[in-house]
Amino acid sequence: MQKPKGERLGQLLLKHKIITEEQLLQALERQKETGEPLGRILVDMKLVSEGALTSILARQIGMRYVDLSNYEVDVSACSLIDADLARKYVLIPIGFEKDKLLVATADPTNVVALDDVRIMTGMEVEPVVATKDDILSAINRYCRSATELEITPDTVEAEIPQTEGEAEPDDAPIVKYVNLLISEAVADRASDVHIEPMENDVRIRFRIDGVLHEVRRNPKQIHPAVVARIKVMADMNIAEKRLPQDGRTSLEIRGKPVDIRVASLPTIHGEKVVMRILDKSMSLMSLEELGFSEEGLAKYSKSFNKPYGTILVTGPTGSGKTTTLYATLNVLNTIKKNIITVEDPVEYRLPLINQVQVHYKAGLTFAAALRSILRCDPDIVMIGEIRDPESAQIAIESALTGHLVLSTLHTNDAPSALTRLLEMGIEPFLIASAVDCVTSQRLARRLCERCKEPYEPDPEFLEKVGLKFEEGEEGIIYRARGCPACNNTGYRGRVGIYEVLEVTENIEYLVAKNAPHVEIAEMARKEGMKTLREEGFEKVKQGITSVEEVLRVIM
């Protein structure tokens, strides 16, 4: 886009009260020194946002500005042009207006680009202006699958393998489609891909930051070929469609190795397939990166640096318990220690660590594996989950005989883990002696750094939820807004919220006398334990997450 002279742009920004005269003078002074365009200087000085500047420039040349972060893009319009062409010219069709194709562009003076779109689509083009970043985000979001691959029921009918092991050519449309689906999920930071057959079509959903998002719907006819392709990749039986199956595969996506765990489930409309994408970088995260507070991390580190004892990590499914245990093992993992894990399933494969996969059909249960592990001279034992009284008994006895035991439990908070062991039939005095630390955790979505906005919350609402500001603290917190960078969710990434219960002498005494959960929790709080909600609200005050997100994950 051709930019107007500095003075004219400056006067226009003043007229619309976007900047003050003092700010304009500062920018003009810098322009004399650097010679850069005034618009770029104002953006670099953070006096004007890219969107506001583009809006003013568009108005000055008599064109309409569109904020793509708040615009409902018509996917059928996006599919009319090739993704490579969209990236080359930094433009994207976003809808239809009467008989014209509405095209968002960062440079409306590029008539060659608009002519190419006109020729490719056979439609008259109505250009509108948007920021370059917003357009590129929209291209990545909407154009990738629709334009890089053409897939119709006719192209895949003949591609369903008839026998197990029958290979498909790499350039087959269905192979390209599945590879693209996985590539798109990795690019969007999805942890799971859900392929769900409906009555009339197939729904594709990605779980991003713990929340499912529908990304597209495909014709029902392609479903058998997609499922068969995924089963071949995961070494599953393509002929068996009546029973659930599990498989695993590894791919290289954009030069990055990715492990994928596959599960199929027969439903009334066909087989649902879920692909769990295992990002190996997650297994290499440090404890500091996970979200522990300084005080919580100090207590937790003190426990796992002991040569023996039991450390329990609790929380619901999908709360990041396994990631916390792997991050702990990364600290403990040295050539001088024999570390053995028993998991179901083995999610991340770590060097120097002996990992055992549970196999129920063969009789290799957690309890059976644990009995064998203890005969293999371990220093540290990690149990994927304590599921039954037998494995709980062996874990506690292992800690008492000089081993460091790490494991998970499904309880709502840290004090509940101690009473849960009592319910499993473990003697109170054994629990009191063996357990050193219990950590309860949740995963909350991080606010998008690009679009989060500060606000002063309603005092009545804060009082109702229990969020209190200490004297001297600013009463300002942040909330989600939404932009192309976070797919208009307002959140990008996740952070752990941790409740760390250190088993002190007082806690040991209460457990040994079989005290109720409430009494243990009360004593823990007296001794400095912060609850999950308190830890979550600390992250709200720091601007990491929102009140709504903390309340969503912590009741």
Side-chain angles (χ1 to χ4, degrees):
M1 185 193 301
Q2 279 189 337
K3 295 183 179 179
K5 290 181 180 179
E7 291 77 16
R8 287 186 60 198
L9 174 61
Q11 293 304 316
L12 203 57
L13 292 168
L14 284 175
K15 179 183 173 183
H16 289 88
K17 297 181 180 179
I18 293 173
I19 60 172
T20 64
E21 285 192 31
E22 186 181 348
Q23 290 171 332
L24 177 59
L25 289 172
Q26 288 175 359
L28 289 171
E29 283 295 321
R30 185 179 289 193
Q31 188 184 34
K32 287 178 185 177
E33 296 172 9
T34 64
E36 291 182 330
L38 180 63
R40 177 47 48 198
I41 290 170
L42 289 166
V43 171
D44 289 344
M45 291 175 70
K46 297 186 177 177
L47 298 175
V48 177
S49 69
E50 193 86 44
L53 180 65
T54 306
S55 173
I56 290 295
L57 294 171
R59 191 176 305 175
Q60 195 164 17
I61 60 174
M63 295 193 68
R64 186 166 26 132
Y65 168 73
V66 171
D67 181 2
L68 289 182
S69 63
N70 295 315
Y71 191 89
E72 191 172 337
V73 175
D74 189 332
V75 181
S76 62
C78 301
S79 65
L80 294 176
I81 72 166
D82 184 73
D84 293 333
L85 183 79
R87 291 190 180 96
K88 177 183 175 183
Y89 291 132
V90 193
L91 53 74
I92 180 172
I94 57 173
F96 304 94
E97 209 165 75
K98 297 180 181 176
D99 294 330
K100 292 184 178 180
L101 181 67
L102 207 60
V103 177
T105 174
D107 185 6
T109 62
N110 189 343
V111 292
V112 174
L114 297 174
D115 281 343
D116 280 357
V117 174
R118 191 177 293 112
I119 292 166
M120 181 176 283
T121 62
M123 295 184 69
E124 284 300 310
V125 171
E126 178 69 29
V128 294
V129 181
T131 66
K132 182 179 178 180
D133 286 349
D134 283 357
I135 290 172
L136 290 175
S137 294
I139 290 170
N140 288 335
R141 181 68 183 155
Y142 300 108
C143 289
R144 206 164 38 210
S145 302
T147 61
E148 290 177 12
L149 175 65
E150 291 181 9
I151 183 164
T152 64
D154 293 336
T155 62
V156 299
E157 273 181 3
E159 290 187 41
I160 305 174
Q162 300 304 313
T163 60
E164 202 167 340
E166 187 178 325
E168 297 151 290
D170 290 341
D171 60 349
I174 203 65
V175 174
K176 284 185 178 180
Y177 177 81
V178 172
N179 289 345
L180 182 66
L181 196 63
I182 296 168
S183 177
E184 185 177 347
V186 170
D188 286 349
R189 303 171 298 104
S191 60
D192 301 86
V193 177
H194 291 246
I195 300 167
E196 302 167 311
M198 301 286 105
E199 187 174 359
N200 300 312
D201 56 15
V202 180
R203 181 173 64 187
I204 310 294
R205 292 194 291 174
F206 291 170
R207 188 178 292 280
I208 302 170
D209 296 334
V211 178
L212 281 168
H213 301 270
E214 183 174 322
V215 293
R216 74 176 55 79
R217 292 201 177 220
N218 288 124
K220 183 70 177 281
Q221 294 93 326
I222 76 165
H223 177 254
V226 170
V227 172
R229 171 59 190 164
I230 294 170
K231 282 184 172 182
V232 168
M233 290 169 61
D235 197 24
M236 294 158 68
N237 182 359
I238 64 169
E240 181 55 77
K241 300 176 183 179
R242 299 165 300 172
L243 296 173
Q245 292 187 67
D246 293 304
R248 192 177 185 120
T249 187
S250 295
L251 295 173
E252 192 168 290
I253 305 293
R254 299 175 186 176
K256 178 182 175 183
V258 174
D259 284 346
I260 299 171
R261 207 172 72 221
V262 181
S264 70
L265 182 71
T267 71
I268 57 171
H269 296 302
E271 285 183 282
K272 173 186 168 88
V273 173
V274 178
M275 292 188 283
R276 165 67 58 90
I277 296 169
L278 301 169
D279 185 353
K280 290 186 178 179
S281 63
M282 291 294 291
S283 67
L284 301 173
M285 287 181 74
S286 67
L287 289 166
E288 289 79 8
E289 292 173 303
L290 294 179
F292 276 98
S293 64
E294 279 187 35
E295 187 182 348
L297 182 57
K299 289 180 181 178
Y300 184 65
S301 299
K302 179 183 170 185
S303 297
F304 70 69
N305 281 308
K306 292 179 181 178
Y308 54 85
T310 303
I311 296 172
L312 298 174
V313 181
T314 76
T317 301
S319 60
K321 300 186 296 295
T322 303
T323 302
T324 299
L325 289 180
Y326 277 128
T328 309
L329 288 180
N330 283 331
V331 178
L332 298 169
N333 192 8
T334 68
I335 198 71
K336 294 180 180 179
K337 289 179 181 173
N338 178 20
I339 303 175
I340 304 178
T341 74
V342 51
E343 305 168 60
D344 181 27
V346 173
E347 291 198 9
Y348 302 105
R349 296 173 185 183
L350 303 175
L352 296 181
I353 293 179
N354 307 281
Q355 296 173 275
V356 178
Q357 168 76 55
V358 168
H359 195 306
Y360 289 102
K361 287 183 181 177
L364 185 59
T365 62
F366 276 105
L370 278 172
R371 283 194 296 270
S372 299
I373 283 171
L374 295 176
R375 293 194 288 270
C376 294
D377 186 32
D379 297 298
I380 300 165
V381 177
M382 188 193 99
I383 308 164
E385 184 185 344
I386 292 177
R387 293 185 178 178
D388 53 74
E390 190 179 0
S391 54
Q393 187 72 39
I394 297 170
I396 294 296
E397 288 173 0
S398 302
L400 292 172
T401 53
H403 304 92
L404 180 62
V405 179
L406 310 175
S407 188
T408 70
L409 264 179
H410 284 289
T411 61
N412 291 327
D413 58 14
S416 298
L418 299 171
T419 52
R420 176 82 179 104
L421 290 173
L422 287 168
E423 290 166 8
M424 283 184 162
I426 310 300
E427 292 293 340
F429 68 90
L430 291 178
I431 299 170
S433 304
V435 180
D436 277 319
C437 178
V438 183
T439 297
S440 183
Q441 69 179 83
R442 300 290 188 277
L443 282 179
R445 291 181 292 173
R446 286 180 181 270
L447 284 166
C448 174
E449 289 295 332
R450 178 174 166 179
C451 67
K452 68 180 183 181
E453 58 183 15
Y455 75 105
E456 285 193 47
D458 179 19
E460 286 184 17
F461 171 72
L462 293 185
E463 188 177 349
K464 184 179 177 182
V465 300
L467 174 53
K468 297 176 183 176
F469 287 95
E470 301 296 330
E471 194 174 335
E473 287 184 327
E474 287 186 33
I476 294 175
I477 57 178
Y478 289 81
R479 63 186 169 197
R481 186 164 63 89
C483 68
C486 58
N487 292 331
N488 293 315
T489 63
Y491 299 94
R492 186 174 175 84
R494 288 194 285 179
V495 64
I497 299 173
Y498 292 87
E499 173 182 281
V500 182
L501 167 62
E502 190 177 15
V503 181
T504 61
E505 286 185 10
N506 288 329
I507 301 288
E508 279 185 26
Y509 172 75
L510 291 175
V511 174
K513 73 168 194 174
N514 210 350
H517 158 264
V518 176
E519 208 172 318
I520 295 171
E522 191 179 335
M523 177 59 72
R525 291 197 65 190
K526 280 182 184 175
E527 295 187 338
M529 182 191 83
K530 285 188 177 178
T531 65
L532 281 166
R533 182 169 286 206
E534 289 168 343
E535 287 283 0
F537 286 157
E538 282 300 313
K539 287 180 169 54
V540 169
K541 291 178 184 178
Q542 293 164 18
I544 296 171
T545 189
S546 66
V547 177
E548 293 77 15
E549 185 63 11
V550 170
L551 296 176
R552 182 182 74 86
V553 298
I554 303 165
M555 296 303 294

